[in-house]
Amino acid sequence: MNHSHTIVAALTAIALSTVCLAAEPATKRPNVLLIMADDQGWGDTSYNGHPELKTPNLDEMARSGLRLDRFYAAHFNCSPTRGSVMTGRHPDRYGTFSPGRPFRTQELTIAEVLKAGGYATGHFGKWHLNGVSGPGKPISADDPLSPGNNGFDEWVSVSNYYDLDPLMARNGVTEQFKGDGSDVATDEALKFMRRQVEQGKPFLSVVWFGSPHLPHRALPADKAAYSALPEKDQEYYGELTGVDRSVGRLRAALREMKIAENTITWYCSDNGGAEGPNSTGFLRGGKGNLWEGGIRVPGIVEWPARMSAPFVSDMPCSTLDMYPTLLAATGVKAENQIEPLDGINLLPFFDRKMDARGKPIPFWDHLSKQPAHAALLDWPYKLHTNPVAGRGQKTAVGETLPDVLLSTMCPKTPRKRPTSRPSNRSVWPGCARPLSRGRNPSRRAWPEGITPRWPKSERCHGDTPPPPAGPLRAGRDGFRAAAEHYPDPGR
């Protein structure tokens, strides 16, 4: 017997077993699927009580996973929020103060970090981080701010919003597609994901739809369910139907590929609703301002391997939290991390070991407007400085909003809607009522989360809001506050 061959064989076997053991944890690392709608408001889901829209796939996802009833976009517009997902940092840190502005090439993205950690990375759909405004255009390969130059191995992307028959770029090469834009992005994402599963490689798949952003053009089949409504609503709801269908296809494919158990699927929108009270869920404001309707969006997370039972939470969470949470979840360490990060790691929250975030969520209108409206959400309060009434909203005649407002967030947002149907683009009476009535310190402040003129059964706590602990305070610095916490009768 050749003992040298035996020793070599034994050493080889040991080496191979060591490699297998080392590789095994990598196969157990979670896949990551990030899905984002474009301009979908908090109220634009049937699980949040929309009176006309049907979203069965999002409803099922909300029933099966973690439903975040207070999930916030980092900004009231798209580009700044998208940058926050990529970096975990506030938009002002990377210079994306408003939609269409680029983010800094020096920033470290989640795609770059996970790619360095062995993940395959793909982006599909709207990008809007390369400084191009207007309708979506194909992105060239030599654009320094393309997805490919920011960590994505594969990308089929467009600069901004898109809907039917989009013209997109596949790794920088222009290509014409046919069909609903959400279906197109989903088709390409599924091809990418299947390839990675076949190769046994974990993936980051970012699917950013271009709907339901203007100009609202839906497939006839998607409009059919809303044929009794005005044409503009058929188009809008039809686009959301396409988004919902795509979410269902993605979730079904994960199950088919037998990877749903260990895939983090995170759904949200890039800003609040732009189409009136039904879109925002009757929260104050809408896209373009820092009131709740402009920044609170649908938020759902599924990860069965970590969250075996579904649950619903009112703890405020943000797109800022996605980056640090995903790094913790995948175990990938970011080399040369740019500090500070403004989000938090939500893994303890996923494990139900956290009931308060412990770190406020900051918001700021872009810096070219001075003094700029800013807000700091520190549950259950939201501090506003230099507030403005907001898009489509007015203060009472002859009054101004104070320099500083401290609003109390209604602990449970009512889910019922008024029985009569407002126009989808109108402002429902009462939505614009200011939190502090001018400079009269005897007035009370309404919580941001309710509409004062709703019928009794549809308000947070009955016919009138609970009285504040004390009157509004008027100081020399212009401070107005209602620093009370309304107890939650449901707990």
Side-chain angles (χ1 to χ4, degrees), residues 10 14 116 124 151 188 233-234 239 241 258 304 339 398 407 457:
I14 292 170
F124 308 96
E188 295 301 321
D233 293 340
Q234 293 181 42
E239 282 202 347
T241 296
K258 296 182 170 42
E339 299 288 353
S407 62
S457 63

Side-chain angles (χ1 to χ4, degrees), residues 325-342:
T325 302
L326 293 175
L327 291 195
T330 59
V332 178
K333 180 175 174 56
E335 299 294 335
N336 302 314
Q337 176 64 59
I338 299 175
E339 299 288 353
L341 295 181
D342 295 299

Side-chain angles (χ1 to χ4, degrees), residues 4 12 15 29 39 203 228 249 284 295 317 355 373 415 475:
S4 63
T12 302
R29 288 186 294 175
D39 283 6
F203 62 76
R249 291 178 58 207
R284 182 183 181 181
I295 52 179
C317 301
D355 56 10
H373 183 182
R415 305 193 186 286

Side-chain angles (χ1 to χ4, degrees), residues 336-408:
N336 302 314
Q337 176 64 59
I338 299 175
E339 299 288 353
L341 295 181
D342 295 299
I344 65 170
N345 170 19
L346 294 177
L347 286 192
F349 175 52
F350 291 175
D351 297 334
R352 304 198 190 193
K353 297 178 180 177
M354 174 194 293
D355 56 10
R357 64 181 290 117
K359 184 177 184 179
I361 304 174
F363 304 95
W364 201 0
D365 199 347
H366 79 84
L367 295 178
S368 66
K369 297 178 181 177
Q370 291 292 347
H373 183 182
L376 191 70
L377 177 61
D378 193 2
W379 182 261
Y381 306 117
K382 185 175 173 188
L383 178 69
H384 295 266
T385 61
N386 303 305
V388 293
R391 171 174 154 173
Q393 310 231 329
K394 295 180 180 179
T395 55
V397 175
E399 77 169 355
T400 59
L401 287 173
D403 298 327
V404 180
L405 277 173
L406 184 62
S407 62
T408 303

Side-chain angles (χ1 to χ4, degrees), residues 124-148:
F124 308 96
K126 176 172 176 174
W127 180 237
H128 215 200
L129 289 170
N130 62 331
V132 177
S133 297
K137 304 174 182 64
I139 304 171
S140 65
D142 59 0
D143 186 333
L145 290 175
S146 71

